[in-house]
Amino acid sequence: MGKRIVIALGGNALGNNLVEQMAASKNTARAIADLIVDGNEVIISHGNGPQVGMIQNAMTELVKSDSRYPIIPLSVCVAMSQSYIGYDLQNALREELLNRNYPKDVASIITQMEVDPADPAFKKPTKPIGRFMTKEDADALAAAKGYTMVEDAGRGWRRVVASPEPKKIIEIGTIKALVEAGKVVICCGGGGIPVIQEEHNHLHGASAVIDKDFGSELLAEQLDADYLVILTAVEKVAVNFNKPDQKWLDQMTVAEAQKYCDEGQFAPGSMLPKVKAGMRFASSKPGRHALITLLEKAKEGITGKTGTVITA
């Protein structure tokens, strides 16, 4: 019997620009189609770090060049990124499934995620967005625009913005209905569009980016998924990463994962949120599992052949 699987795609599955994304989407579609053809129900979420930063930079340049255009809020940039990433993914997956004589409807849902305006994350930006750059370029951007810039896991410097906890998926009813109808759904892109509930039922966009791993975890919980699969740039999670005594992990219990987190084994903004999201999902209900692995290894990971599995 197939499993219900929420797949959280990382940046390596999407590329860093439009041309790379179109090519990456085809490769991603092949790996996801493997799971669908095997009889699994697959729901797809994705990151948007490079894309939302690119969109905001482009919108900022537009405003600078023509004052008739208003400044575009970050929440709107997240919505734009959901749309154009979803467009590439749904077309690539539809084509791949048709080529395998396994036609299925694939749809992207523009998804809003309610956050708490009192979340302390708004006072301490941590979520990287946009391109990697040198320290010199990062310092210049910080001076020019007042952005908060940090070094990101040894890969360069990036802008960081607030990353509040996701509290409620606004479109969850629509997502559930499509999943129950047998459709392949792409949703909660970039963690969801961060919105704050105001009076008279109004939702106001927040200047933030929700971590896609935590948004995907909430999605997996609310869809009663069997697996949360978090795809990243490595086949397995490691402790003592890049050190002589590095050790790859096949499995972790939530208690073991917490011990590693307390030791500072996982980098913030990189592996740490993936492990924490996996811990949260695995402990949310008996029988739930989280898997962290490479895109190309997702099918093998589900069958227990590779990846790092987090269990209660």
Side-chain angles (χ1 to χ4, degrees):
M1 183 176 178
K3 303 181 185 299
R4 178 169 289 184
I5 303 168
V6 169
I7 294 182
L9 298 174
N12 61 307
L14 297 170
N16 291 300
N17 55 53
L18 184 59
V19 176
E20 288 184 12
Q21 181 173 298
M22 291 180 72
S25 293
K26 291 184 179 297
N27 183 52
T28 299
R30 286 191 287 271
I32 294 173
D34 286 343
L35 294 171
I36 294 172
V37 171
D38 278 353
N40 298 296
E41 289 182 322
V42 176
I43 303 93
I44 304 156
S45 64
H46 58 81
N48 70 342
Q51 294 86 353
V52 74
M54 179 190 69
I55 291 169
Q56 186 166 59
N57 289 340
M59 294 298 102
T60 299
E61 291 302 314
L62 175 63
V63 173
K64 285 169 59 177
S65 66
D66 191 335
S67 60
R68 293 176 300 172
Y69 291 97
I71 294 174
I72 304 297
L74 182 54
S75 58
V76 175
C77 294
V78 174
M80 291 179 177
S81 73
Q82 283 190 357
S83 300
Y84 103 80
I85 293 170
Y87 166 63
D88 277 346
L89 281 175
Q90 69 186 29
N91 278 351
L93 188 52
R94 172 187 175 276
E95 180 180 340
E96 181 66 26
L97 290 169
L98 285 171
N99 288 344
R100 299 188 189 198
N101 295 314
Y102 200 91
K104 263 188 172 292
D105 293 328
V106 185
S108 300
I109 304 297
I110 303 302
T111 315
Q112 301 173 95
M113 189 77 74
E114 185 178 341
V115 298
D116 184 349
D119 193 307
F122 285 108
K123 295 182 180 179
K124 188 179 180 181
T126 59
K127 181 64 177 172
I129 65 169
R131 64 183 177 89
F132 291 96
M133 61 191 79
T134 64
K135 188 176 189 306
E136 292 73 21
D137 288 344
D139 288 343
L141 197 58
K145 298 187 177 181
Y147 290 167
T148 301
M149 311 295 291
V150 300
E151 195 273 334
D152 185 3
R155 295 175 290 177
W157 290 72
R158 296 174 81 186
R159 180 190 174 193
V160 290
V161 298
S163 183
E165 283 278 320
K167 297 298 182 184
K168 179 182 177 182
I169 302 171
I170 303 300
E171 288 77 22
I172 190 63
T174 300
I175 295 166
K176 283 182 177 179
L178 288 170
V179 171
E180 294 296 337
K183 313 304 180 184
V184 180
V185 181
I186 302 164
C187 59
C188 295
I193 304 163
V195 294
I196 293 168
Q197 177 71 59
E198 296 184 337
E199 60 183 10
H200 306 304
N201 298 314
H202 178 65
L203 295 173
H204 177 73
S207 183
V209 173
I210 297 166
D211 191 290
K212 73 98 175 40
D213 298 314
F214 292 120
S216 302
E217 191 282 327
L218 182 58
L219 174 68
E221 277 197 45
Q222 296 198 353
L223 291 178
D224 195 23
D226 301 299
Y227 265 89
L228 169 63
V229 179
I230 300 175
L231 302 178
T232 187
V234 292
E235 186 169 343
K236 298 180 181 181
V237 178
V239 292
N240 303 318
F241 187 62
N242 277 342
K243 296 179 181 178
D245 57 345
Q246 174 178 295
K247 178 185 176 183
W248 297 107
L249 303 173
D250 297 322
Q251 189 167 334
M252 290 187 287
T253 65
V254 170
E256 289 169 339
Q258 185 61 59
K259 174 178 174 289
Y260 292 137
C261 290
D262 293 342
E263 292 174 357
Q265 289 283 357
F266 310 124
S270 181
M271 188 57 73
L272 183 60
K274 295 172 176 57
V275 171
K276 284 190 170 182
M279 292 165 59
R280 186 178 295 181
F281 182 69
S283 59
S284 64
K285 183 179 178 180
R288 289 177 174 173
H289 300 81
L291 168 69
I292 301 175
T293 193
L294 283 168
L295 168 68
E296 295 80 5
K297 300 290 185 176
K299 181 178 177 179
E300 293 178 50
I302 290 295
T303 56
K305 296 178 181 177
T306 192
T308 301
V309 177
I310 302 176
T311 63

